[in-house]
Amino acid sequence: MTVNPDRKEPINLRQFGFHPLSLRLWHGMALDAWLRAMRGKWHMVSPSRYPLVAMITLFSISNLGLKWLSQLIYGRRLAKVEIVPDPIFVIGHWRSGTTWLHQLMISDPRHAAPDVRACFRPETFLVGRGILTPILRWALREKRPMDNVRLKLESAEEDEHGISLSGALSPYRHSMFPNDERRVPANPDDMAAEDAAFWRKKWLAFLTRVQFVNPGKRLVLKSPTHTMRTKEILRIFPDAKFIHIVRDPYKVFLSNRNSRTAMYSVSSLQDHLPSQENRDASMIKRSVAFHKQFDQDRRHIPDDQIITLRYEDLRADPMASIRTIYSHLDLGDFALIEGNLGALVGPARPYQNNRYELDDQTRAMVDDQFADFFEQYGYVPMDQRPAAAP
């Protein structure tokens, strides 16, 4: 695919139900985290986003006060918290079904996950929960901007947001400045020593707070970025369990194209995006690197601590798939989750492959770049699939 790096597209916020001063993820940052994220990047802000940046800065000052108050009130108690047992990690590429699988796993009453309140206010969510919850409930959008997944304050959310909004390095920070070609590393092994130490400190501090409000429960964490840092996770949590989910590459590509456009549009501090062609080329490149990193690190994970499943199999028979996960990873009595799970998924139903609307050039690019993925996980290239029934 030939791309022109100078081509840009204007952002249409109203397409996603936003206006220039709508609350963004960045409103949940404390001042020190906000300044760390913006270091050396103030000049990249589009003039039309200056009021938004001023608003986020004011929020961050308030959040810094709440952060100090949280440390004062809860600091000693948090110092005694242990994250035990080691968490369960739901991993896999964006749009592979990780969100749904995460929801199914936390239907187990023995499990817990960080919720929207925690992930979007990672350093302050312990304080003012009674007062701020009604305000946050009012401000929260009914659905995520990239899909139709409903949002509630109690909804399980990605701990990656907790990392990013605490000021540590995260690829999610790229959505602030999507035109910046410099990428933020996901893996602490690829960070400077100081940044890696800061990342570990912030991540563990966030997980400690989540464990504090969920005593006696095992944390189930979901973030596609964890797929690229399994070695780091095992250094910190040697008995961690991993549930790796994969999905039809064509479906992932199309869904990811839409979701990235939505997230970049509503999170950006700029008023334009790279062209669709540039975004597609970048996405393919990053996806290939994503899977390559996981394949390199997979050999370090003991076989009894990881299981891989296909989204299509999970969708066809969720109950059987989750039962297999529990058995392979030795997660305890499946009967304790069976009732809740049954209410969520209903009866098993056959899964049917769809024919996706991909132009020939894009399809050829996916076929070429993901040839190994097709073979590794049992997917068939489009031109080898039977025609869909009319």
Side-chain angles (χ1 to χ4, degrees):
M1 177 180 289
T2 302
V3 297
N4 179 357
D6 295 326
R7 288 188 60 192
K8 308 293 181 184
E9 295 178 2
I11 291 175
N12 180 7
L13 285 175
R14 300 195 182 281
Q15 175 185 352
F16 306 101
F18 278 67
H19 58 77
L21 291 180
S22 294
L23 292 181
R24 309 299 209 278
L25 291 172
W26 320 121
H27 285 85
M29 302 179 83
L31 180 62
D32 52 342
W34 170 240
L35 295 178
R36 188 181 184 96
M38 290 294 291
R39 186 184 304 158
K41 296 186 176 181
W42 295 96
H43 67 285
M44 298 183 187
V45 177
S46 295
S48 63
R49 299 295 187 263
Y50 288 169
L52 175 63
V53 167
M55 182 182 176
I56 294 172
T57 303
L58 290 175
F59 269 67
S60 73
I61 295 171
S62 174
N63 289 335
L64 182 61
L66 291 174
K67 175 182 173 179
W68 288 342
L69 183 60
S70 178
Q71 292 172 341
L72 180 64
I73 297 174
Y74 296 102
R76 290 185 179 180
R77 280 180 278 179
L78 289 171
K80 300 177 182 178
V81 173
E82 294 184 3
I83 303 171
V84 291
D86 285 357
I88 300 166
F89 292 85
V90 176
I91 60 175
H93 199 279
W94 292 268
R95 318 307 297 164
S96 292
T98 55
T99 296
W100 187 45
L101 178 55
H102 193 211
Q103 292 169 346
L104 297 180
M105 291 300 299
I106 63 170
S107 67
D108 189 325
R110 296 163 295 185
H111 294 165
D115 62 16
V116 168
R117 289 168 295 190
C119 291
F120 293 173
R121 298 176 55 238
E123 299 188 288
T124 62
F125 72 91
L126 292 180
V127 296
R129 280 175 284 180
I131 298 174
L132 293 177
T133 292
I135 299 174
L136 293 172
R137 200 179 302 280
W138 169 81
L140 188 68
R141 296 182 174 273
E142 183 179 357
K143 297 179 181 179
R144 302 194 306 186
M146 78 288 284
D147 52 31
N148 289 320
V149 174
R150 292 188 176 276
L151 275 178
K152 297 181 180 179
L153 291 180
E154 301 79 15
S155 299
E157 193 47 82
E158 290 189 39
D159 57 306
E160 191 70 26
H161 292 301
I163 295 172
S164 175
L165 300 181
S166 295
L169 289 180
S170 165
Y172 286 14
R173 194 187 292 180
H174 183 66
S175 62
M176 270 186 174
F177 299 101
N179 296 283
D180 186 358
E181 295 182 358
R182 296 170 297 176
R183 293 287 164 166
V184 182
N187 192 341
D189 288 345
D190 298 327
M191 301 176 188
E194 179 184 354
D195 289 331
F198 187 78
W199 184 94
R200 296 183 187 99
K201 174 184 174 182
K202 289 298 182 178
W203 186 47
L204 287 175
F206 175 66
L207 296 186
T208 298
R209 288 190 285 271
V210 175
Q211 187 74 77
F212 175 71
V213 297
N214 294 284
K217 295 192 175 186
R218 187 173 198 171
L219 298 185
V220 181
L221 305 173
K222 186 274 289 194
S223 175
T225 47
H226 288 326
T227 315
M228 297 181 282
R229 54 172 79 112
T230 55
K231 284 179 65 177
E232 176 67 24
I233 289 171
L234 286 174
R235 292 185 192 115
I236 300 173
F237 298 113
D239 295 322
K241 307 284 189 176
F242 297 92
I243 309 171
H244 176 228
I245 187 168
V246 297
R247 191 180 188 182
D248 187 317
Y250 301 114
K251 189 68 174 177
V252 169
F253 177 87
L254 287 176
S255 184
N256 207 32
R257 171 194 273 174
N258 294 335
S259 68
R260 287 199 176 201
T261 298
M263 285 306 299
Y264 285 173
S265 295
V266 302
S267 301
S268 178
L269 301 181
Q270 300 174 311
D271 56 15
H272 55 281
L273 297 177
S275 68
Q276 186 66 65
E277 293 82 4
N278 285 328
R279 299 200 301 275
D280 284 352
S282 174
M283 184 169 62
I284 288 285
K285 179 181 177 181
R286 301 299 167 184
S287 294
V288 170
F290 176 99
H291 293 299
K292 182 178 180 180
Q293 181 72 61
F294 173 72
D295 288 342
Q296 288 177 346
D297 295 343
R298 166 64 181 84
R299 64 181 183 272
H300 298 287
I301 307 174
D303 288 341
D304 61 352
Q305 290 180 228
I306 185 170
I307 185 171
T308 295
L309 73 156
R310 300 188 348 155
Y311 171 83
E312 294 79 9
D313 297 331
L314 176 66
R315 179 61 79 178
D317 195 343
M319 192 71 75
S321 296
I322 301 299
R323 185 182 289 111
T324 300
I325 290 171
Y326 269 65
S327 175
H328 182 82
L329 297 180
D330 192 20
L331 297 182
D333 188 358
F334 182 74
L336 294 178
I337 185 181
E338 200 162 4
N340 291 343
L341 198 60
L344 283 174
V345 303
R349 56 200 180 281
Y351 180 87
Q352 301 207 354
N353 284 320
N354 295 318
R355 306 274 309 176
Y356 309 126
E357 295 299 325
L358 277 175
D359 62 83
D360 291 341
Q361 184 180 20
T362 303
R363 189 179 72 180
M365 181 171 60
V366 173
D367 289 345
D368 176 61
Q369 295 296 319
F370 291 95
D372 291 341
F373 185 93
F374 280 107
E375 181 177 354
Q376 184 176 2
Y377 296 110
Y379 290 102
V380 179
M382 190 71 71
D383 59 4
Q384 299 177 28
R385 299 182 184 185

